[in-house]
Amino acid sequence: MNVFINKNIPEAGILLLQEKGINLTINPTEKILSRNEFIAICKKNDALLNVGTNNFDEDFFEQCPNLKGIALFSVGFDYVNIPSANSRKIPIGNTPDVLSRATSDIAFLLIQSVARKSFFNHKRILDGKWGSFDALANLGQELYGKTLGIFGLGRIGFEMAKKCKAAFGMNIIYHNRSRNENAEKELNAKFVDFETLLAESDILSIHSNYSAENNELFNKNTFAKMKSNSIFINTARGKFHNEEDLFYALTNNIIWGAGLDVTNPEPMLQNNPLLSLPNCCILPHIGSATYEARNAMAVCAAQNIIALFENKKMPFCVNEEVYN
Ligand code: DGY
């Protein structure tokens, strides 16, 4: 079996694949392949281990009829047209669980960074604006006893809720498609409708899978329903929020601050006005960027490819229906 890996991954995954005698082509260049170049190589391979959010649409699957499976190096699979994969019986693997702690760590870091304006204060030093002690300047807010609202309480949301409860005694509310009984039992999390989530959250953090029905769900109308001292956190996907509306909300005291690890588009343009705001902290999509998480992701992705090679079910498959 010939497998294409479009960008290098941690060695733990490569070694597993090599031990099985799988023939690997690893994109040796730092160069991002054009869509045509990418498809041309995928056509010649039996499987793909994909790093990054290439668009796997109907056209891609049509052009790559020999592809027998794709192992994504991500937990999110919003960039794959699942019905197109299903109609060709192509299993799609992902890397669940192993990045939940790392990603929720970044959301937790962003809450505190926003609450204490830490990026802005660091920039004051760089700009030579430290100045003398001022009892009234650069004040943040404390997080003790606040209400954390989670949009999408799955594995990452659960880790986030656990941290916020343990560190700050936060009260947890959440909105989900289905109830999370574990979180209700362990963390006393309360299920609420979307309007209540907006109205009652002091911190609103997104931890849901992105799908088109949630495109720009956080916009002028929804920000207007949030508390004026609230903090908006998005570590899931940039398409969940409208960036112009977020800028408006942050500059008109509609909400208090925002922390983003994801933007739309990515990379964010250097002149994006959100980057200049004192109440906005932005990171370049580093949620899963720890040695531990990335090694484990490499192993999950390799295990998915190996299962394909051995004619078994992928252990982490997002469209198990292809096996029916
Ligand atoms: C994921 O795993 O989905 C992360 O966002 C990286 O893309």
Side-chain angles (χ1 to χ4, degrees), residues 249-271:
L250 290 170
T251 49
N252 288 279
N253 300 322
I254 311 284
I255 65 172
W256 198 80
L260 309 176
D261 185 43
V262 288
T263 60
N264 184 20
E266 288 180 10
M268 181 178 241
L269 297 180
Q270 223 181 332
N271 62 357

Side-chain angles (χ1 to χ4, degrees), residues 53 73-76 95 99 236-237 285 288 297:
T53 52
F73 191 81
S74 69
V75 64
T95 63
L99 44 65
R237 286 289 181 264
H285 203 149
S288 66
M297 288 168 76

